[in-house]
Amino acid sequence: MAESPQTTVLVTGAGGRTGQIVYRKLKEKRDKYIARGLVRTEESKQKIGGAEDVFIGDIRDAESIVPAIQGIDALIILTSAVPQMKPGFDPTKGGRPEFYFDDGAFPEQVDWIGQKNQIDAAKAAGVKHVLLVGSMGGTNPNHPLNSLGNGNILVWKRKAEQYLADSGLPYTIIRPGGLLEKDGGNRELIVGKDDELLRTGDKTIPRADVAEVCVQALNYEEIKFKAFDLASKSEEVGEPTKDFKALFSHITSRF
């Protein structure tokens, strides 16, 4: 059998805001990638086009995600618990909104158990590369994001990242800063480690740029067994990143 030139890639959380962009980017590069998506509901499947390559499964139910993972070369994990704002908040009155997580959708269940199930399934299926998108801030247990809905979201994300790093699978862990709803391709991207970027003025990044980094990371062997923080300069500063090999050459940390 001749080697297929295409890489089969599954994006989980493909109905989410970043996942949708990654799935679409892969679909646009049909010569290189055979894209698959995993979503939780039929509604989400239809939202991203309803193609046959979109599987429905629940990452908290290990059995349900096995069909999506069978036969893939690479897995991009973009699933995450999402805090909900309690109704009744009035910004005109000052104060801060309160948040909660739906029952069964706390970070422990989604960002820990759900990610672990994906990593275990990938290992069982012989997947060659697992990319996990986490978040900056995980080095600080007292980070404000951990108090949202008492979910300790960064604690559980960090636990999943460590599990992946210890799994023996070739992995890449991407920890973006604050996500911006802006176009990608207009900024100079910067990489770091250990949340050092959080102490600078450059700690945000457009979602579309995170998505592009996910896709680019599939192309470089040297990014395997590496973890990095990811942010961007403001549009007025620096040159938009085009050379991803050069960007990735700055990454040395395994976790």
Side-chain angles (χ1 to χ4, degrees):
M1 288 288 287
E3 278 286 297
S4 166
Q6 292 155 298
T7 303
T8 301
V9 185
L10 173 66
V11 181
T12 63
R17 285 180 290 177
T18 310
Q20 285 185 48
I21 307 172
V22 176
Y23 173 70
R24 190 174 69 239
K25 282 178 177 287
L26 293 170
K27 296 276 277 190
E28 287 167 357
K29 296 186 163 91
R30 290 174 195 276
D31 56 324
K32 291 188 75 169
Y33 305 109
I34 298 167
R36 290 186 192 176
L38 179 77
V39 297
R40 203 168 69 237
T41 64
E42 180 65 37
E43 183 187 4
S44 286
K45 176 172 177 169
Q46 295 310 321
K47 188 172 76 177
I48 61 169
E52 284 180 13
D53 57 35
V54 179
F55 292 72
I56 296 173
D58 188 328
I59 59 167
R60 298 166 298 180
D61 171 9
E63 287 296 306
S64 77
I65 63 175
V66 169
I69 289 176
Q70 289 301 320
I72 64 170
D73 300 303
L75 169 65
I76 301 177
I77 299 177
L78 274 161
T79 46
S80 177
V82 180
Q84 312 290 333
M85 193 187 296
K86 287 186 180 173
F89 174 65
D90 182 352
T92 61
K93 294 182 177 164
R96 294 190 165 197
E98 289 185 50
F99 290 87
Y100 69 97
F101 290 95
D102 289 329
D103 281 349
F106 271 77
E108 181 178 0
Q109 291 137 332
V110 178
D111 293 275
W112 165 234
I113 303 298
Q115 319 294 50
K116 180 178 179 294
N117 286 341
Q118 295 177 72
I119 294 160
D120 289 344
K123 192 164 186 178
V127 174
K128 301 189 208 46
H129 191 188
V130 178
L131 290 89
L132 174 61
V133 179
S135 172
M136 275 204 270
T139 61
N140 175 12
N142 299 314
H143 193 285
L145 283 178
N146 284 325
S147 63
L148 290 186
N150 295 320
N152 278 322
I153 191 163
L154 296 182
V155 174
W156 295 112
K157 281 184 186 292
R158 190 86 173 172
K159 194 171 164 73
E161 291 170 7
Q162 188 69 61
Y163 187 80
L164 175 59
D166 293 340
S167 70
L169 283 162
Y171 67 86
T172 304
I173 296 166
I174 302 170
R175 303 184 182 111
L179 297 169
L180 306 172
E181 308 296 339
K182 296 190 178 223
D183 290 341
N186 299 326
R187 293 169 176 243
E188 185 171 327
L189 306 184
I190 31 184
V191 295
K193 65 180 190 335
D194 299 331
D195 289 333
E196 289 162 357
L197 294 172
L198 290 179
R199 295 188 281 281
T200 73
D202 300 317
K203 49 193 176 188
T204 59
I205 181 168
R207 273 181 202 281
D209 285 322
V210 176
E212 184 63 24
V213 168
C214 288
V215 175
Q216 291 289 340
L218 297 169
N219 299 318
Y220 297 98
E221 280 294 315
E222 58 265 38
I223 201 100
K224 289 180 178 173
F225 302 102
K226 296 287 193 326
F228 59 97
D229 299 343
L230 179 66
S232 66
K233 297 185 178 179
S234 63
E235 287 189 22
E236 305 77 48
V237 181
E239 288 292 315
T241 295
K242 299 276 187 279
D243 184 345
F244 286 88
K245 189 177 179 69
L247 179 73
F248 294 155
S249 72
H250 298 292
I251 299 161
T252 56
S253 179
R254 292 178 69 87
F255 189 77

